[in-house]
Amino acid sequence: MGNREWGRRTGCISFFPHSLLPTPQSPITMIIGRIIGNVVATRKDPRLEGKKLLLVRPITLTGEDESSYLVAIDTVGAGFREKVLVVSGSSARMADGLKDRPVDAAIVGIIDTVEVTD
Amino acid sequence: MGNREWGRRTGCISFFPHSLLPTPQSPITMIIGRIIGNVVATRKDPRLEGKKLLLVRPITLTGEDESSYLVAIDTVGAGFREKVLVVSGSSARMADGLKDRPVDAAIVGIIDTVEVTD
Amino acid sequence: MGNREWGRRTGCISFFPHSLLPTPQSPITMIIGRIIGNVVATRKDPRLEGKKLLLVRPITLTGEDESSYLVAIDTVGAGFREKVLVVSGSSARMADGLKDRPVDAAIVGIIDTVEVTD
Amino acid sequence: MGNREWGRRTGCISFFPHSLLPTPQSPITMIIGRIIGNVVATRKDPRLEGKKLLLVRPITLTGEDESSYLVAIDTVGAGFREKVLVVSGSSARMADGLKDRPVDAAIVGIIDTVEVTD
Amino acid sequence: MGNREWGRRTGCISFFPHSLLPTPQSPITMIIGRIIGNVVATRKDPRLEGKKLLLVRPITLTGEDESSYLVAIDTVGAGFREKVLVVSGSSARMADGLKDRPVDAAIVGIIDTVEVTD
């Protein structure tokens, strides 16, 4: 498996004929973030009752904060400053206790380590 | 839980060998915004009848306006200038009264406070 | 409700201790656009037959064109140059006549006015 | 319909009181692209078997290539260099033969013409 | 099929009357990435148990790394440094063994070659 060559193949019409610009699509997926705060909303959708709204800042692979933030529902009992795994979109509703609720981001794991073998 | 170390682990092949560029993926999730106006559309999908279309501007954690805007359906009786929680995508259809409707953003809470313990 | 203070609350550990960078997450939601053209595709998915593919340019709150464009299915009989409400993602399939069709953007309303009370 | 005025309405509290910044939300929707290549993956999810993975480059309304690219499943027998309509997200699974498959982009039409009446 | 002309059609009101800005919408779709590491999370959603969380860096069509990263669940037994196909959003839950799980990115194929006939 480690021997697969990139772009090596016999009989192709044309092969990387010129340098293509480096902008592939980036999917919007599970991210690693750090809990930085919380949001209090007394008046809200009944299906959000009892759910903890946390503020999460995406972090880099070296553990540094990004400038953006997001609001996510905690489903694993995460604490302030902890590194967490956040799932978004319809997948957030698959998290524990969030079925059919109007939430699009959920904390689904507390991260112990991030290994980069790059 | 407060003692978890970032990236600390025995027996890893390689550990953060070089500084990785700081651009993790940002999910598109619940945001905090401020109501700045409304949209009137007489001719529309029958399933949008009776629904209030509000203009929301995303805000920063310090309460400042972003330049972007979005259109969201109000489901909690939010008023002008109020800070609100907006859920988007298929999750918007989980909000009160929006089941199976062609809406992809819903106001699901009125925000009282935002605490940042950063 | 108009009296809610932003970030005011007693007994918080820490409160906006330093200026946070202004990049909250922006959801991808209903937008306001202007119809600028159409797309003709003879060979297409059978479930797209009879559906009108329009070109829409997102517009600003002051009615100016954005440079981007998108392709959306018309479901309300919108005409060229009209300002319309576009819903995207799985919610587009909730629009009139688009159930289970391979479309991810639908025009669901014709906009009469946009009021900004900012 | 052609007579609808933008932002004209009697009795509004405030009307476009100051120039708003031009950054409305851009939905992620059907795009027009050009087929530039293909991807070969022998080991893959069983539900991807027999599906053709094509490389598509988004194009502008004047037919010029964008620098980004995406991978999409062909469902209409599109050929290299052809202009195609690509649908993404859960809507891609509504395309012919893609039900319940792990694909999030599908080619659903071959574009004949793009008319801009801007 | 190779003879289709772009924008050629008789009887159109107006045809590309002026150069339009080159910013079409980019969908968020299947991408090609390279596995660069993994994430360990002991405390997590029960439905994530036994699932391998890998770090993936999107790559360009010439095989170069992007600066961004994403977390995806492996479903095909991919190894470090391998080039993989990543599907995101609700489509990730269609991958082998991920039904109804809170995941929004899945590795669904190992890439052998990428041919660009541009």
Side-chain angles (χ1 to χ4, degrees):
Chain A
M1 210 171 319
N3 289 34
R4 284 166 203 276
E5 291 285 332
W6 180 248
R8 196 64 67 77
R9 195 180 161 194
T10 327
C12 293
I13 307 155
S14 155
F15 237 94
F16 303 132
H18 55 85
S19 177
L20 294 159
L21 286 169
T23 326
Q25 291 308 114
S26 290
I28 291 164
T29 63
M30 290 185 281
I31 63 142
I32 300 173
R34 192 173 65 86
I35 298 173
I36 61 160
N38 71 291
V39 173
V40 177
T42 310
R43 210 160 98 205
K44 57 179 175 249
D45 189 284
R47 266 167 300 183
L48 286 179
E49 289 299 337
K51 298 298 167 191
K52 213 163 135 193
L53 294 161
L54 295 182
L55 287 169
V56 178
R57 228 186 240 303
I59 55 174
T60 69
L61 287 180
T62 47
E64 283 136 36
D65 282 15
E66 286 294 305
S67 59
S68 64
Y69 75 89
L70 54 103
V71 182
I73 305 281
D74 182 29
T75 71
V76 290
F80 285 116
R81 292 189 163 281
E82 282 197 301
K83 266 75 174 191
V84 291
L85 185 69
V86 179
V87 69
S88 63
S90 61
S91 301
R93 301 198 306 267
M94 301 295 138
D96 216 20
L98 299 188
K99 195 171 182 285
D100 295 333
R101 289 175 199 267
V103 302
D104 58 13
I107 295 167
V108 295
I110 296 168
I111 290 171
D112 298 301
T113 53
V114 169
E115 287 173 87
V116 180
T117 60
D118 201 17
Chain B
M1 210 172 321
N3 289 33
R4 284 165 203 277
E5 290 286 333
W6 180 247
R8 196 66 65 77
R9 195 181 161 193
T10 328
C12 293
I13 306 156
S14 155
F15 237 93
F16 303 132
H18 55 85
S19 178
L20 294 159
L21 285 169
T23 326
Q25 291 308 115
S26 291
I28 292 164
T29 63
M30 289 184 282
I31 63 142
I32 300 173
R34 192 172 66 86
I35 297 173
I36 60 160
N38 71 291
V39 173
V40 178
T42 310
R43 211 160 97 208
K44 57 179 176 249
D45 190 284
R47 265 166 301 182
L48 287 179
E49 288 299 337
K51 298 298 168 191
K52 214 162 135 193
L53 293 161
L54 296 182
L55 288 168
V56 178
R57 227 186 241 304
I59 55 175
T60 69
L61 287 181
T62 47
E64 283 137 38
D65 282 14
E66 286 294 304
S67 59
S68 64
Y69 75 89
L70 55 102
V71 182
I73 305 281
D74 181 29
T75 72
V76 290
F80 286 115
R81 293 189 162 281
E82 282 197 303
K83 267 75 173 191
V84 291
L85 185 69
V86 180
V87 68
S88 63
S90 61
S91 300
R93 300 196 307 266
M94 301 295 138
D96 216 19
L98 298 188
K99 196 170 182 285
D100 295 334
R101 290 175 200 266
V103 302
D104 58 13
I107 296 167
V108 295
I110 296 168
I111 291 170
D112 299 302
T113 53
V114 170
E115 288 174 86
V116 180
T117 60
D118 202 16
Chain C
M1 210 170 320
N3 290 33
R4 285 166 203 276
E5 290 286 333
W6 181 247
R8 196 66 65 78
R9 195 182 159 191
T10 328
C12 293
I13 306 154
S14 155
F15 236 93
F16 302 131
H18 55 86
S19 177
L20 293 159
L21 285 170
T23 326
Q25 291 308 116
S26 291
I28 292 165
T29 63
M30 289 184 282
I31 63 142
I32 300 173
R34 191 172 66 86
I35 298 173
I36 59 159
N38 71 291
V39 172
V40 177
T42 310
R43 212 160 97 206
K44 57 179 175 246
D45 190 284
R47 265 167 301 182
L48 286 179
E49 289 299 337
K51 297 299 169 190
K52 214 163 135 193
L53 294 161
L54 295 182
L55 287 169
V56 178
R57 227 186 241 305
I59 55 175
T60 68
L61 287 180
T62 46
E64 282 136 37
D65 282 14
E66 286 295 305
S67 59
S68 64
Y69 75 90
L70 55 102
V71 182
I73 305 281
D74 181 29
T75 72
V76 290
F80 286 116
R81 294 189 160 282
E82 282 197 303
K83 267 76 173 189
V84 291
L85 185 69
V86 180
V87 69
S88 64
S90 61
S91 301
R93 301 197 306 267
M94 301 294 138
D96 215 20
L98 299 188
K99 195 171 182 284
D100 295 334
R101 290 175 199 266
V103 302
D104 58 13
I107 295 167
V108 295
I110 296 169
I111 291 170
D112 298 302
T113 53
V114 169
E115 288 173 88
V116 180
T117 60
D118 202 15
Chain D
M1 210 172 319
N3 289 35
R4 283 165 203 278
E5 290 285 333
W6 181 247
R8 195 67 65 77
R9 195 181 159 192
T10 329
C12 294
I13 306 154
S14 153
F15 235 93
F16 302 131
H18 56 84
S19 177
L20 294 158
L21 285 170
T23 325
Q25 291 308 114
S26 291
I28 291 165
T29 63
M30 290 185 280
I31 62 140
I32 300 173
R34 191 172 65 87
I35 298 173
I36 60 159
N38 71 291
V39 173
V40 177
T42 310
R43 211 160 96 207
K44 56 179 176 249
D45 190 284
R47 266 168 300 183
L48 286 179
E49 288 299 337
K51 298 298 170 191
K52 214 162 134 194
L53 293 161
L54 295 183
L55 288 169
V56 177
R57 227 186 239 306
I59 56 175
T60 68
L61 286 181
T62 47
E64 283 137 37
D65 283 15
E66 286 295 305
S67 59
S68 64
Y69 76 90
L70 55 102
V71 182
I73 304 281
D74 182 29
T75 72
V76 291
F80 285 117
R81 293 188 162 284
E82 282 197 302
K83 268 75 174 189
V84 292
L85 185 69
V86 180
V87 69
S88 64
S90 62
S91 300
R93 301 198 305 267
M94 301 295 137
D96 215 19
L98 299 187
K99 195 170 182 284
D100 295 333
R101 290 174 200 267
V103 303
D104 58 13
I107 295 167
V108 295
I110 296 168
I111 291 170
D112 298 303
T113 54
V114 169
E115 288 173 87
V116 180
T117 59
D118 202 16
Chain E
M1 211 172 318
N3 290 34
R4 284 166 203 277
E5 291 284 333
W6 180 246
R8 197 66 66 78
R9 194 181 161 194
T10 329
C12 294
I13 307 155
S14 154
F15 236 94
F16 303 133
H18 55 83
S19 177
L20 294 158
L21 286 169
T23 326
Q25 291 307 114
S26 290
I28 291 165
T29 63
M30 291 184 280
I31 63 140
I32 300 173
R34 191 172 66 87
I35 298 172
I36 60 160
N38 72 291
V39 173
V40 177
T42 309
R43 210 160 98 205
K44 56 179 176 250
D45 190 284
R47 265 167 301 182
L48 286 179
E49 288 299 337
K51 298 298 169 191
K52 214 163 134 192
L53 293 161
L54 295 183
L55 288 169
V56 178
R57 227 185 239 306
I59 55 175
T60 68
L61 287 181
T62 47
E64 282 135 38
D65 282 15
E66 286 294 304
S67 59
S68 64
Y69 75 89
L70 55 103
V71 181
I73 305 281
D74 182 29
T75 71
V76 290
F80 285 117
R81 292 189 163 283
E82 282 198 302
K83 267 78 174 188
V84 292
L85 185 69
V86 179
V87 69
S88 64
S90 61
S91 300
R93 302 197 306 267
M94 301 294 138
D96 216 20
L98 299 187
K99 195 170 182 283
D100 294 334
R101 290 175 199 268
V103 302
D104 58 13
I107 295 167
V108 295
I110 297 168
I111 291 170
D112 299 301
T113 54
V114 169
E115 289 172 86
V116 179
T117 59
D118 201 17

